[in-house]
Amino acid sequence: MRLSLLQRLEDAHDDSVWAAAWAPNSNTLVTGSVDESVKLWQESGDTLEQQHHLVGLSLGVLGVSVDSSGQYGAASSLDSYVTVWNMEDYSTVHQFTDIPPSEAWGLAFAPAGEKLLLAVAGGSSNGVRLLDVNAKEQAATLAMPDVTDKQRKERFVLSVAYSPDGRRIAAGGMDGTVALFDTATGKLLHTLDGHFKPVRDLCFTPDSSMVITACDDNHAHLYAAEQGELVEAFSGHESWVLSVSAHPSGTAFATGSSDSKVKLWDMQTRTCAQTCSEHTDQVWGVRFRADGARLASTSDDRSVCLFDFAG
Amino acid sequence: MEVDEATLFLPINGAVVAVQPAGQTVDGLLRILRTGAPITAWLHASQHLLATGREGFEALLSEGIEREQQGQRSDVFGHIQALCSLAEFHVQQAAAERDRRQRILLLSSATELCHKAQRLNIKEQLPELVLGAVALVKNDVTAAKKGFEKAISMRCNGRPSIAPHLALASLHFNQRNYTEALRLYKLVLRTCPSCPAEVRLGIAACCLKAGNMEKAELAYKRTLQLLPNCTAALLGLAVLKLHVSNKEQDMREGSLLLAQAFEQDPDNPFVLLLLAHLCLRQGFMEKARQLAQTVLQHGGHNSVQAEALTILARAHHALGHMQEAFRCYQQAAQLDPKLPLPKLGLAQMSVFVGEPINAVSMLESLLMDAPQWIDALQVLGRVYPKTTLKSTKVVPQFKEAAAQRPKDAELWELLGDLLSSQEPAGALKAYVKAIEIRRDALQASLAAEGSSQLPPRLLNNAAVLHLRAGNSDVSYALMAEAMQAAGGLGLEGVSSLAQITLGYNMARVKESCGNLKAAEAEYKDLLKQFPQYGDCYLRLACISKARGNTKVALQWAEQAVNKPAFQSDALALIAGLHLERRDYHNAKQVLDKLLGQADSKQVAFAKLAMANLHAYSAPSGKRKDDSIRKAETHYTHALELYRRVLEKDEGCIFAANGIGCVLAELGNLSAAKEVFLQVQEASAASNGFWRMPDAWINLANVYLAQQQYTPAIQMYKNALRKFYDNRNAVIMLYLARAQYDADQMPEATRTLTKALHLAPTDHNLRFDVAVTLQESAVRTLQKKTQSGDPNRHKELVRAVRDLARAHRFFQQLHGLGRESGLDSRKLQQHINFIAVTHSSATLHVEKAKEDAQLAEQRQAAAMAQAVAQEKSRQLTEGKKLAEQDAERRRQEEQARSDAERLKQLQEQWRTNATMQKAVATGDASVVPKGGITDGEAALNARVDALFETSEDDDDYVPDGDDDGQEGRDAAEDDAVLDEPAGQSAHLSKSKHQAVLDEDEDADAS
């Protein structure tokens, strides 16, 4: 397996690019930056071309997501507003403005279901907020487990992910707590142990059976979701692991790190298959496209890199 | 006439008597001589006795001299010869005499004899020569030299003689003054070509010593031509071949020469010694020992004996008979204190018996006499690490020696070993050089030999230093190669201890490359095999610490505390863990324990950490006298500890940094800055070996405190990029503070936003974001602008939005209550202030909106006006163009009429007789044509001028507006600068507090 750089888009934003998401079943990439804007890019002929520029996302964009239909895009900003827009005409569908500041961080749309649900990592609320986009209201909250461990002091949820089958939600926090919830009941299933430092990103494997985490302890962990067991710890990054994305085939995943590297990991051999050094500063976002043929990475160096993935 | 060598022909009473001294007793000889032999006969007879090694020389000669004195003979020279002979004999006896008093007696008798001889003839050379020899034995080289030099100016029995030249040459040779010796030998050879072959030997020896191998070889060969059996020449050549060259062929030739010399003169001690040397070199220790023993048994000069003893000692040394070796070295050193080798041996013995300090002092004094003696340097290089001594004294010698031997990998490696403790960057360079040399050598010999491995030790050491320099990747590659090399050598090649070290280092490198999992597994594996290997516990603790699992880290460290060798390291680590958690109480307890261990390796660390602890825990409240006094005690304590560390290790940049911090805390900013600058410089000069981000941060903090914002901002940014991968929220907070103070509000906000992104739970950051937003909005609102600025509305809208955001943040923080750690009163003030400002701001916005609309209208009007102007301009231009057209046509008309007039004139000229000539010589038609061209140019110029003015018209419209804009901008800037700080002063204080608190934290790491 191999990643090869197709394009290094310099100055994709005016400042650090913190978030990235591909629209399902399309060539549209969404990026969010501290420059208080979201950009939509269309890939054509192996290069990204800017399609639209959404501005006014106060204090910077923490996370972006596109729903399974590809109709809606969502972004959370540092002032804890969650903005949902129409991907076709870029009009604002709704802005959730009543989330208290510091109670929104990363976010993820639920896979196709009855309702259009959006999971938002709840920051200092120490839980996960489920927003019903169509009803323009909060549908539910999931509370992170109480931890008795004295070492775990910083109760702040940074990251959230839906399993592809929609049955599970995973969330990671500042103190290294990783929780697995049942979507239907909202019940806490497991606490995934092993991290003690901020888990800034996590994702499920395509078969929904495993969770991969990215942590400031320089590691990515692989957990068996249903058993709640640590299966593997991937080390190799020389600094914080900030972002993780599983390949749709389940054979690989990618990580981005503060060491400015993007690494590709082989799930079979459980080793690092490739290290990409195209970025010159922290890599905050890595995302595989739904068809698995592309990987996008975003960084503090203001650039966005587009890679071709060959299995 | 064939003469038996043993036959003496003595002129007695005018007749020559043939005597067979071998058949005569001394008494018999005496009897014959007493019959009236001249002094020369006595001399010959006695010399014969001496040459054949028989007793009686002195008795015989003394009697001859006595008889000569009484007999009033006229053979003055013979008399002098006899006296000098006896004197010379005494000199030689004195030289061999151990007893000092006896020696003095002998020498004074020799001196007296010489003086006697001089009384016979003051101009005679011989006594002067012998006196020179006396001076030599007395070790008075200057007097000897003077004596010989005086002798050179004298004559021997009325004839010139080369003897004093040779004596002086020998003196110079022994003084290592080879050029002067060589000059004298050459002089002798020129003045007396028939001189003994030994002169050439001298030349050869001089050349050999002076390093001129080719000439030396030629001289030896010439000697051999003259004296085919000259053992010394053979020996010299052998030395030349065996010791100087390294080629195999030369070795063989040298051995052959040596064998020849041995055959010729099997008892020659020098031959035996060289043979012994050769045996030593080739590993035949027993043989070498036997040879040396033979030399010793034969006796001889002290220096020869000493040499033999040295060889004996080395043979014993190599055979592992340390006691005997020690004894022999000692004897040799006593016999010939100038011989360096026995001292080297003794130094090695000292190392062997565990007295490295003695060895070092011996070697250092040795190196003073013989600078850059490689063998001594090498031993010294290996001894230093075993002592706590500083090797600074010989390091320059080492470096020079290494620089002169760019192919000596071993020496470079040794230099690396030597430097590793005090000059790691230099050590790394030395190792890299050693590796380079070895790789080159390998490449050269790769065709001949299959193996391509470098010594694992060298690779390992280089890898370790690379690791310390922060080059993890290079280090990993070298370590992998070292492991492979060690594997290739098998267990015999690498001791099990070395294997552990390699394994540990590999794990260490992996750890530093970020492969914590593999490193962890390998440490655990090593511990399974060698449970005493405490380093592994410590590293495991560090890995846990890196993962943020302090509890487990402490557990691992506790395990290492139980291993005595690692106790101090473990305690230091535990103290560090406590300090990191700001658990000062526990940290202090551990440090106290650490300081209590007298010989702890970590004393310096403990002192530093304790000093830091004092500095951190100094109360920062500046209001109460009590806390001020307390803080002073803390800082004094800290300063004292730092000072003590610096006393022991003046290069300790951590201590220096600490002093800088305390100075800054005490308000002495310029002194602190000086210290930080030095620390930073030292850190930069170490090529990455001492990473000291604190120096950067502290320096920036000082700049900030001195309101030098630009360097402060630059310094923070550099530190962030250089040391923290741009991801340290604390330093970003400092940076934001500097930007805020430098009135770079948008940058400050952005920096704080990024910091908050990294550390979302930091309430201080959130507070600062809100304050910055608020302040930025306030500044916008207070900005004095001319009404009607179209951008004003946008700015105000943004300001109002910023106020709203700040309000949200303040309210949230207020809502947290005590949890936020912020002053809730202060928060409420902010909230209230914003509420007021916000409502007034909305008015501003309304006004600005109107203004904007007005401005828009005005702009539209201006636009319309511009359009109108453009239209009128076009109109005018059209008119002008029409005018121009008319003008042109008029001019053309004019020109045409002019031309016509010209034609007419021409017609007139043509008819003119005088003009006809001109027409015949030139082309008259040119004249009218030229006229037309000129006319056209004039026209063009006029048209150009027209267009120029019309271009000016084009620029006219927008120009005026631009000027006005610029003027306003400048006015605005002034307004911002003059604006009172208001809320910012309040913020400054609170933020400064935060900065100082965090400052201490930065030091802890």
Side-chain angles (χ1 to χ4, degrees):
Chain A
M1 56 187 63
R2 182 134 202 96
L3 291 171
S4 24
L5 183 74
L6 293 173
Q7 186 191 12
R8 187 176 192 275
L9 192 65
E10 303 282 353
D11 294 317
H13 281 270
D14 292 339
D15 209 328
S16 305
V17 193
W18 282 346
W22 289 93
N25 313 315
S26 85
N27 288 339
T28 307
L29 176 71
V30 181
T31 57
S33 159
V34 68
D35 71 2
E36 309 195 331
S37 74
V38 160
K39 284 186 180 181
L40 275 63
W41 311 85
Q42 186 73 38
E43 191 208 322
S44 61
D46 296 345
T47 53
L48 293 169
E49 268 159 37
Q50 188 177 323
Q51 215 176 8
H52 193 71
H53 192 188
L54 293 162
V55 294
L57 294 140
S58 270
L59 297 176
V61 178
L62 297 167
V64 289
S65 179
V66 183
D67 86 307
S68 59
S69 68
Q71 265 188 294
Y72 300 104
S76 55
S77 43
L78 208 81
D79 61 356
S80 290
Y81 284 14
V82 172
T83 311
V84 182
W85 68 88
N86 188 314
M87 288 288 280
E88 271 161 35
D89 59 12
Y90 316 120
S91 61
T92 304
V93 174
H94 185 63
Q95 193 167 41
F96 293 87
T97 56
D98 49 358
I99 302 172
S102 90
E103 292 193 11
W105 210 259
L107 79 178
F109 270 110
E114 287 169 40
K115 290 177 180 171
L116 181 58
L117 287 178
L118 183 60
V120 181
S124 59
S125 74
N126 203 35
V128 173
R129 230 173 263 274
L130 295 182
L131 303 177
D132 184 333
V133 174
N134 290 330
K136 300 180 181 175
E137 62 180 22
Q138 185 168 308
T141 53
L142 310 171
M144 289 294 269
D146 283 326
V147 184
T148 46
D149 193 340
K150 271 192 201 161
Q151 287 188 53
R152 302 187 186 273
K153 279 187 248 174
E154 295 193 282
R155 319 291 290 145
F156 194 100
V157 183
L158 290 165
S159 50
V160 66
Y162 262 103
S163 65
D165 63 10
R167 294 175 56 237
R168 301 282 180 260
I169 290 175
M174 276 296 279
D175 57 8
T177 307
V178 178
L180 191 73
F181 299 95
D182 179 68
T183 320
T185 61
K187 231 182 77 187
L188 173 77
L189 294 177
H190 297 291
T191 306
L192 307 178
D193 281 324
H195 289 305
F196 294 89
K197 290 192 173 180
V199 175
R200 295 183 192 267
D201 196 15
L202 38 68
C203 68
F204 279 86
T205 51
D207 61 1
S208 300
S209 70
M210 310 263 221
V211 175
I212 314 174
T213 54
C215 178
D216 280 5
D217 63 11
N218 300 6
H219 283 68
H221 281 182
L222 180 69
Y223 295 93
E226 296 313 305
Q227 295 75 29
E229 280 167 8
L230 175 64
V231 177
E232 187 71 64
F234 296 87
S235 63
H237 278 300
E238 287 173 41
S239 192
W240 302 353
V241 186
L242 301 172
S243 177
V244 61
S245 175
H247 190 264
S249 69
T251 57
F253 69 97
T255 51
S257 158
S258 286
D259 64 10
S260 310
K261 306 282 196 293
V262 172
K263 279 179 185 277
L264 182 68
W265 306 85
D266 187 326
M267 285 287 252
Q268 253 92 53
T269 61
R270 302 221 171 119
T271 54
C272 177
Q274 192 184 348
T275 303
C276 305
S277 311
E278 275 78 9
H279 287 293
T280 56
D281 207 340
Q282 319 194 64
V283 182
W284 280 103
V286 287
R287 288 295 179 263
F288 277 111
R289 203 168 68 186
D291 65 358
R294 294 286 182 270
L295 177 82
S297 62
T298 63
S299 157
D300 265 352
D301 65 13
R302 306 178 181 199
S303 76
V304 171
C305 282
L306 183 67
F307 295 91
D308 172 77
F309 176 87
Chain B
M1 186 173 74
E2 265 187 50
V3 180
D4 187 345
E5 270 183 52
T7 310
L8 265 180
F9 297 94
L10 300 174
I12 297 173
N13 289 337
V16 175
V17 178
V19 182
Q20 300 281 332
Q24 297 279 354
T25 59
V26 177
D27 287 339
L29 270 176
L30 271 175
R31 265 198 303 279
I32 296 168
L33 290 167
R34 277 172 191 157
T35 54
I39 186 69
T40 42
W42 288 91
L43 194 61
H44 284 157
S46 57
Q47 273 172 346
H48 182 84
L49 287 177
L50 188 67
T52 50
R54 288 173 63 182
E55 304 257 324
F57 167 84
E58 195 180 354
L60 210 66
L61 199 54
S62 301
E63 192 172 333
I65 290 168
E66 230 170 273
R67 281 170 182 270
E68 183 69 16
Q69 278 165 346
Q70 288 161 1
Q72 305 262 321
R73 298 296 176 97
S74 56
D75 187 359
V76 176
F77 184 67
H79 194 176
I80 291 174
Q81 259 189 312
L83 285 166
C84 290
S85 245
L86 192 56
E88 173 69 22
F89 181 70
H90 285 165
V91 169
Q92 280 175 14
Q93 274 185 315
E97 182 55 59
R98 292 272 177 82
D99 184 43
R100 218 173 127 255
R101 215 178 321 150
Q102 200 63 36
R103 194 161 66 207
I104 292 168
L105 276 178
L106 283 164
L107 287 178
S108 61
S109 121
T111 314
E112 203 181 315
L113 285 167
C114 290
H115 287 162
K116 256 186 209 166
Q118 279 178 333
R119 277 198 290 278
L120 291 172
N121 183 358
I122 192 66
K123 287 184 181 158
E124 189 50 62
Q125 189 182 47
L126 269 179
E128 203 59 60
L129 267 178
V130 179
L131 281 172
V134 170
L136 261 190
V137 175
K138 279 184 182 165
N139 231 345
D140 186 349
V141 180
T142 338
K145 210 165 105 186
K146 259 188 203 156
F148 293 146
E149 275 164 2
K150 192 171 170 197
I152 285 178
S153 64
M154 296 166 152
R155 289 181 160 235
C156 177
N157 201 16
R159 280 177 300 176
S161 157
I162 55 168
H165 292 91
L166 293 179
L168 191 59
S170 164
L171 182 141
H172 278 303
F173 185 86
N174 287 329
Q175 290 294 308
R176 298 209 180 94
N177 197 349
Y178 302 122
T179 17
E180 185 58 23
L182 189 60
R183 190 186 68 78
L184 283 163
Y185 282 130
K186 280 183 175 169
L187 184 74
V188 168
L189 195 59
R190 258 203 308 280
T191 49
C192 179
S194 60
C195 66
E198 281 80 0
V199 173
R200 293 177 195 279
L201 216 52
I203 290 179
C206 285
C207 290
L208 182 66
K209 289 287 184 186
N212 191 343
M213 300 305 159
E214 286 166 36
K215 279 231 172 105
E217 194 173 341
L218 278 176
Y220 278 130
K221 284 189 172 157
R222 176 80 184 127
T223 315
L224 277 178
Q225 274 176 1
L226 296 171
L227 284 178
N229 290 329
C230 176
T231 315
L234 282 173
L235 209 55
L237 265 183
V239 168
L240 204 64
K241 298 278 180 194
L242 288 174
H243 278 249
V244 178
S245 161
N246 268 327
K247 281 184 224 145
E248 222 171 291
Q249 198 193 338
D250 284 336
M251 291 294 280
R252 226 176 299 125
E253 278 177 28
S255 307
L256 280 176
L257 284 165
L258 189 55
Q260 200 185 334
F262 183 69
E263 259 173 48
Q264 228 167 258
D265 191 353
D267 290 334
N268 185 321
F270 296 105
V271 174
L272 293 176
L273 284 176
L274 186 59
L275 211 52
H277 259 299
L278 195 65
C279 290
L280 266 187
R281 220 160 79 164
Q282 295 183 337
F284 303 115
M285 298 305 163
E286 195 47 46
K287 188 85 195 141
R289 198 183 60 79
Q290 282 172 10
L291 284 163
Q293 211 98 51
T294 318
V295 176
L296 276 178
Q297 277 157 9
H298 278 273
H301 196 263
N302 276 356
S303 64
V304 178
Q305 296 250 337
E307 193 125 344
L309 276 165
T310 311
I311 290 177
L312 197 58
R314 287 176 65 190
H316 280 306
H317 192 165
L319 289 167
H321 310 150
M322 292 305 175
Q323 294 226 307
E324 271 141 292
F326 179 69
R327 196 175 43 78
C328 291
Y329 278 134
Q330 210 161 28
Q331 280 182 11
Q334 274 164 6
L335 275 177
D336 188 353
K338 280 188 186 162
L339 203 62
L341 262 177
K343 289 185 183 160
L344 183 63
L346 282 173
Q348 285 173 306
M349 292 294 121
S350 290
V351 178
F352 178 75
V353 296
E355 294 171 358
I357 297 181
N358 279 351
V360 168
S361 67
M362 259 188 265
L363 289 165
E364 281 181 350
S365 70
L366 249 183
L367 280 168
M368 271 206 274
D369 293 337
Q372 289 183 41
W373 183 21
I374 290 298
D375 296 322
L377 280 173
Q378 286 189 341
V379 177
L380 192 56
R382 292 194 192 99
V383 181
Y384 268 126
K386 295 181 184 162
T387 69
T388 50
L389 298 171
K390 290 219 166 190
S391 47
T392 35
K393 251 191 260 174
V394 284
V395 161
Q397 282 197 32
F398 242 102
K399 282 184 176 166
E400 209 173 307
Q404 283 173 8
R405 289 169 182 74
K407 296 276 170 207
D408 190 341
E410 211 174 309
L411 189 65
W412 280 97
E413 185 180 346
L414 210 57
L415 178 63
D417 293 350
L418 200 62
L419 290 175
S420 60
S421 62
Q422 46 191 339
E423 200 191 313
L428 182 55
K429 265 188 211 152
Y431 282 138
V432 168
K433 174 86 180 161
I435 290 179
E436 200 180 292
I437 296 168
R438 291 212 185 262
R439 284 206 205 284
D440 287 351
L442 272 177
Q443 213 144 42
S445 67
L446 208 57
E449 290 169 46
S451 105
S452 61
Q453 306 282 18
L454 265 60
R457 183 185 177 277
L458 173 62
L459 291 167
N460 172 70
N461 288 350
V464 168
L465 280 177
H466 268 304
L467 187 65
R468 281 179 59 195
N471 313 326
S472 307
D473 296 346
V474 187
S475 180
Y476 181 78
L478 283 172
M479 221 37 239
E481 196 180 341
M483 293 291 272
Q484 203 192 347
L489 288 173
L491 277 177
E492 299 137 43
V494 183
S495 68
S496 61
L497 202 67
Q499 298 254 357
I500 308 172
T501 309
L502 282 175
Y504 171 77
N505 285 342
M506 190 66 199
R508 187 74 191 74
V509 171
K510 280 184 185 164
E511 183 192 335
S512 137
C513 284
N515 198 348
L516 296 188
K517 200 181 76 183
E520 193 176 21
E522 282 171 31
Y523 289 134
K524 283 183 181 164
D525 214 35
L526 277 168
L527 277 179
K528 250 183 232 157
Q529 295 174 56
F530 313 97
Q532 293 307 311
Y533 202 5
D535 282 321
C536 293
Y537 290 113
L538 295 176
R539 290 321 311 172
L540 283 167
C542 286
I543 289 179
S544 295
K545 182 181 165 222
R547 290 201 177 126
N549 196 343
T550 320
K551 211 159 78 184
V552 176
L554 277 172
Q555 282 168 5
W556 281 117
E558 293 289 352
Q559 274 185 275
V561 172
N562 301 328
K563 313 269 175 268
F566 300 96
Q567 193 181 26
S568 51
D569 286 339
L571 285 174
L573 182 61
I574 291 172
L577 284 167
H578 286 312
L579 274 178
E580 194 171 76
R581 294 202 302 188
R582 301 203 197 177
D583 183 350
Y584 296 137
H585 175 70
N586 275 324
K588 187 165 185 308
Q589 278 188 336
V590 176
L591 286 175
D592 277 334
K593 197 168 163 191
L594 196 52
L595 280 170
Q597 297 176 331
D599 56 342
S600 160
K601 286 182 286 177
Q602 297 283 7
V603 162
F605 168 83
K607 281 183 187 157
L608 274 178
M610 193 62 114
N612 289 347
L613 196 146
H614 277 297
Y616 303 162
S617 50
S620 49
K622 303 246 154 103
R623 255 169 271 162
K624 286 183 209 148
D625 285 350
D626 183 37
S627 61
I628 290 175
R629 224 173 307 122
K630 245 191 206 162
E632 255 172 31
T633 337
H634 276 281
Y635 288 133
T636 322
H637 239 90
L639 263 185
E640 174 60 18
L641 282 163
Y642 287 133
R643 200 182 57 72
R644 267 194 259 159
V645 174
L646 271 183
E647 245 167 40
K648 282 252 166 160
D649 177 8
E650 57 189 35
C652 180
I653 58 176
F654 301 100
N657 184 57
I659 286 179
C661 286
V662 175
L663 284 172
E665 286 293 346
L666 295 172
N668 195 346
L669 288 180
S670 51
K673 187 164 123 191
E674 210 47 45
V675 172
F676 291 140
L677 273 171
Q678 280 175 18
V679 172
Q680 190 194 25
E681 216 170 275
S683 157
S686 76
N687 285 345
F689 275 94
W690 289 313
R691 291 168 72 79
M692 196 69 199
D694 296 9
W696 263 259
I697 305 306
N698 288 331
L699 196 55
N701 286 347
V702 171
Y703 278 129
L704 182 57
Q706 293 184 328
Q707 303 185 329
Q708 299 183 31
Y709 301 122
T710 318
I713 289 171
Q714 200 52 47
M715 200 66 82
Y716 285 131
K717 281 188 175 166
N718 284 348
L720 266 173
R721 201 190 51 240
K722 241 176 125 110
F723 302 107
Y724 300 103
D725 294 342
N726 286 330
R727 52 167 181 78
N728 185 311
V730 173
I731 294 159
M732 288 164 94
L733 177 63
Y734 300 163
L735 173 62
R737 160 79 203 196
Q739 287 167 332
Y740 180 98
D741 284 354
D743 198 26
Q744 302 175 357
M745 300 308 275
E747 286 84 352
T749 318
R750 193 51 64 78
T751 306
L752 286 168
T753 313
K754 285 182 183 176
L756 190 59
H757 183 227
L758 290 168
T761 48
D762 189 331
H763 300 308
N764 285 319
L765 275 174
R766 210 170 275 275
F767 177 79
D768 288 342
V769 170
V771 170
T772 316
L773 285 173
Q774 175 198 316
E775 181 58 24
S776 170
V778 167
R779 288 188 192 183
T780 310
L781 291 173
Q782 290 178 345
K783 202 151 73 172
K784 292 177 184 67
T785 50
Q786 288 177 5
S787 60
D789 180 354
N791 294 322
R792 181 68 181 157
H793 180 240
K794 264 189 225 157
E795 275 178 14
L796 287 176
V797 167
R798 179 163 181 110
V800 169
R801 204 185 58 183
D802 284 349
L803 279 177
R805 291 173 180 170
H807 192 255
R808 255 162 72 87
F809 276 21
F810 283 131
Q811 281 220 296
Q812 182 233 346
L813 290 166
H814 192 254
L816 285 173
R818 281 183 164 218
E819 200 195 311
S820 71
L822 296 161
D823 184 352
S824 78
R825 204 159 37 87
K826 201 194 295 170
L827 284 166
Q828 192 57 55
Q829 280 173 358
H830 276 288
I831 292 166
N832 295 342
F833 174 82
I834 290 180
V836 173
T837 318
H838 189 264
S839 56
S840 72
T842 34
L843 289 175
H844 277 288
V845 175
E846 285 306 313
K847 171 84 170 55
K849 199 173 174 186
E850 281 168 25
D851 283 353
Q853 280 167 350
L854 238 147
E856 223 166 278
Q857 286 166 6
R858 223 176 292 151
Q859 206 175 3
M863 196 86 112
Q865 199 185 345
V867 170
Q869 273 181 346
E870 173 69 8
K871 258 186 191 158
S872 78
R873 192 186 59 78
Q874 278 173 357
L875 265 171
T876 346
E877 203 167 298
K879 220 155 109 194
K880 272 182 188 161
L881 274 173
E883 279 171 14
Q884 283 161 24
D885 218 27
E887 175 73 2
R888 198 177 64 238
R889 253 173 304 182
R890 200 182 55 75
Q891 283 187 341
E892 275 172 6
E893 194 63 36
Q894 179 76 44
R896 217 175 295 133
S897 66
D898 284 353
E900 236 146 79
R901 234 186 111 230
L902 203 63
K903 237 182 189 170
Q904 287 170 359
L905 278 170
Q906 275 176 339
E907 291 299 320
Q908 284 173 0
W909 290 338
R910 228 168 262 171
T911 52
N912 194 322
T914 44
M915 285 303 277
Q916 267 177 350
K917 248 187 214 171
V919 171
T921 49
D923 190 357
S925 67
V926 168
V927 182
K929 258 188 201 164
I932 290 170
T933 320
D934 278 346
E936 267 177 2
L939 239 168
N940 284 343
R942 247 174 283 169
V943 173
D944 282 350
L946 257 175
F947 273 107
E948 260 172 83
T949 47
S950 76
E951 271 167 19
D952 278 346
D953 289 348
D954 259 351
D955 282 343
Y956 166 73
V957 182
D959 225 276
D961 256 5
D962 261 359
D963 285 345
Q965 182 79 38
E966 268 165 30
R968 267 203 304 285
D969 276 348
E972 275 167 22
D973 281 348
D974 283 343
V976 171
L977 288 174
D978 291 338
E979 182 203 326
Q983 288 291 315
S984 84
H986 167 60
L987 165 82
S988 304
K989 205 168 174 197
S990 69
K991 265 178 83 185
H992 191 62
Q993 196 62 56
V995 168
L996 287 176
D997 287 343
E998 299 297 349
D999 185 5
E1000 288 158 5
D1001 199 27
D1003 292 344
S1005 63

